[in-house]
Amino acid sequence: MEDSSCDLISSALEIISQKGNPYYNVSLLCLFVSLLVFVVSTITKNYSQVDKLWSIIPFVYTWMTVVDQRTLLMAIVATIWGIRLTYNFSRRGGYKWPVWTGDEDYRWEYIQEGHYLPILNNQIAWMLFNLGFISIYQNILLLLIVTPSLVAWTVATDAGCTSSDLNVLDFVAAFLVLFFVIVESIADNQQYKFQTEKYKKINAKEPLTGEYADGFCQSGLFSIVRKPNYAAEQSIWVSYYIFSIAASGKVLNWSIIGVILLILLFQGSGRFTEKLTLMKYPEKYALYQKRVPLYVPNMLALGKSDTGVSETTPLMEKKAS
């Protein structure tokens, strides 16, 4: 039930400037990390410094809000998400020593060359983009996606709010988060296995057939949506937002901002990734785009067994046969 006496926005604005509480502490940490990654990325020219923290810093924020059973549950599921994603990033070469090295997201090079916005091939424009978007905005986003934890903390500690025990919605949220973590894990494993096998065949100079000849994964979850890991990541944080509803009784509260901004980021990021893949495999990927949706499965097509890819015949040969 909604508690009309609990003004979450007013409470947040009143608390944020008070030292020693989660609002103040997470904001201070976010500012520090934003400036740190800007300095490090500018010096090293490796612009994936935020990527190294993407799966770590959000669950650190959640542990800074733990005050009751609900916020503890939220921190636990966020940590499970973070550990799994950190492992996946690590096995792809994301972490090396020194810590500021490691794999850089290939998209930054294309963006820096002006493929996304032509002005970004200018050094000053790129520096401002690195400061404003890569370093500051992305770190603010990583804080915003876990702000349901701040809402739950507010409800539990603000005398003007009626605190509630764990309820059905909390367990629904936890179940959904963990479910989509599993989906994301399966998608990442399928992609990792595909890429490993593809380059193994290439290095061994073996003939490539089927999706290996096409160059990109189209089986498993990738036969249902083109970006299953992206879809799962967005779903995880939509599910995490449900915790704030369970805590406050408000279907809409200010922490939904993080969910909305994350979804918008993935729309732009996903489309740009699609553009680069289409540049690399113009004909084959165009056919894949027509056959398989980007994020949301086509329920009418799920029952069809034909994925459009043969294990022994390259896609374009199959289409021509």
Side-chain angles (χ1 to χ4, degrees):
M1 181 177 295
E2 182 174 334
D3 182 6
S4 59
S5 65
C6 183
D7 190 337
L8 296 173
I9 296 179
S10 297
S11 296
L13 293 175
E14 182 179 346
I15 295 172
I16 195 169
S17 62
Q18 299 174 7
K19 293 183 179 180
N21 68 78
Y23 283 87
Y24 181 87
N25 293 338
V26 298
S27 298
L28 194 63
L29 179 57
C30 181
L31 175 61
F32 170 77
V33 173
S34 299
L35 295 177
L36 177 64
V37 298
F38 173 70
V39 172
V40 173
S41 62
T42 300
I43 294 174
T44 64
K45 305 301 181 184
N46 183 328
Y47 298 99
S48 281
Q49 303 305 320
V50 177
D51 297 346
K52 303 178 194 305
L53 299 171
W54 188 278
S55 58
I56 299 173
I57 199 69
F59 75 75
V60 171
Y61 292 142
T62 65
W63 283 103
M64 295 169 70
T65 69
V66 172
V67 71
D68 61 2
Q69 290 182 330
R70 174 178 289 113
T71 48
L72 176 61
L73 176 61
M74 296 172 75
I76 290 173
V77 297
T79 302
I80 292 172
W81 160 84
I83 291 174
R84 193 221 63 86
L85 196 58
T86 301
Y87 163 73
N88 187 65
F89 185 69
S90 177
R91 69 174 174 173
R92 293 190 292 108
Y95 299 109
K96 291 182 181 178
W97 186 260
V99 293
W100 52 82
T101 61
D103 221 16
E104 182 184 43
D105 190 326
Y106 71 96
R107 292 172 296 184
W108 292 134
E109 180 181 354
Y110 282 92
I111 293 175
Q112 194 173 9
E113 291 174 353
H115 291 286
Y116 192 73
L117 291 174
I119 194 175
L120 293 179
N121 64 5
N122 177 277
Q123 289 187 354
I124 295 178
W126 175 255
M127 183 184 68
L128 293 175
F129 178 78
N130 182 29
L131 174 64
F133 178 78
I134 299 178
S135 302
I136 296 178
Y137 177 77
Q138 286 196 114
N139 270 294
I140 291 176
L141 179 59
L142 291 178
L143 172 56
L144 287 175
I145 60 176
V146 293
T147 50
S149 289
L150 288 173
V151 169
W153 181 88
T154 301
V155 172
T157 59
D158 192 324
C161 299
T162 301
S163 181
S164 63
D165 296 329
L166 287 173
N167 56 58
V168 174
L169 272 183
D170 290 300
F171 294 110
V172 168
F175 171 81
L176 288 174
V177 170
L178 296 178
F179 171 77
F180 288 116
V181 166
I182 293 173
V183 172
E184 187 176 47
S185 179
I186 293 172
D188 283 339
N189 285 337
Q190 289 176 347
Q191 183 69 269
Y192 182 79
K193 181 179 179 181
F194 171 81
Q195 294 295 340
T196 301
E197 184 65 20
K198 182 179 76 170
Y199 284 103
K200 179 181 176 181
K201 290 177 178 292
I202 291 174
N203 293 332
K205 297 183 179 179
E206 296 179 10
L208 299 179
T209 59
E211 60 183 351
Y212 295 112
D214 296 337
F216 51 92
C217 186
Q218 301 156 71
S219 57
L221 292 178
F222 292 85
S223 67
I224 301 173
V225 290
R226 301 198 300 274
K227 295 282 185 289
N229 40 7
Y230 283 21
E233 182 71 8
Q234 295 170 78
S235 300
I236 286 170
W237 296 109
V238 171
S239 302
Y240 195 79
Y241 173 74
I242 297 174
F243 280 116
S244 71
I245 301 175
S248 67
K250 299 176 186 292
V251 175
L252 290 178
N253 61 75
W254 68 270
S255 67
I256 200 173
I257 295 172
V259 174
I260 294 173
L261 293 179
L262 182 74
I263 291 174
L264 290 176
L265 176 69
F266 270 97
Q267 302 317 300
S269 174
R271 297 294 178 184
F272 184 63
T273 303
E274 291 270 291
K275 177 182 177 181
L276 297 180
T277 309
L278 196 58
M279 288 169 56
K280 193 172 183 180
Y281 313 106
E283 295 182 358
K284 297 177 182 180
Y285 201 77
L287 290 172
Y288 179 55
Q289 286 178 315
K290 292 179 180 179
R291 190 175 72 251
V292 179
L294 181 58
Y295 292 139
V296 182
N298 182 348
M299 303 306 294
L300 296 178
L302 288 181
K304 298 181 180 179
S305 59
D306 182 14
T307 62
V309 180
S310 169
E311 288 298 321
T312 58
T313 307
L315 178 62
M316 291 307 293
E317 292 182 16
K318 178 172 182 178
K319 291 295 180 180
S321 63

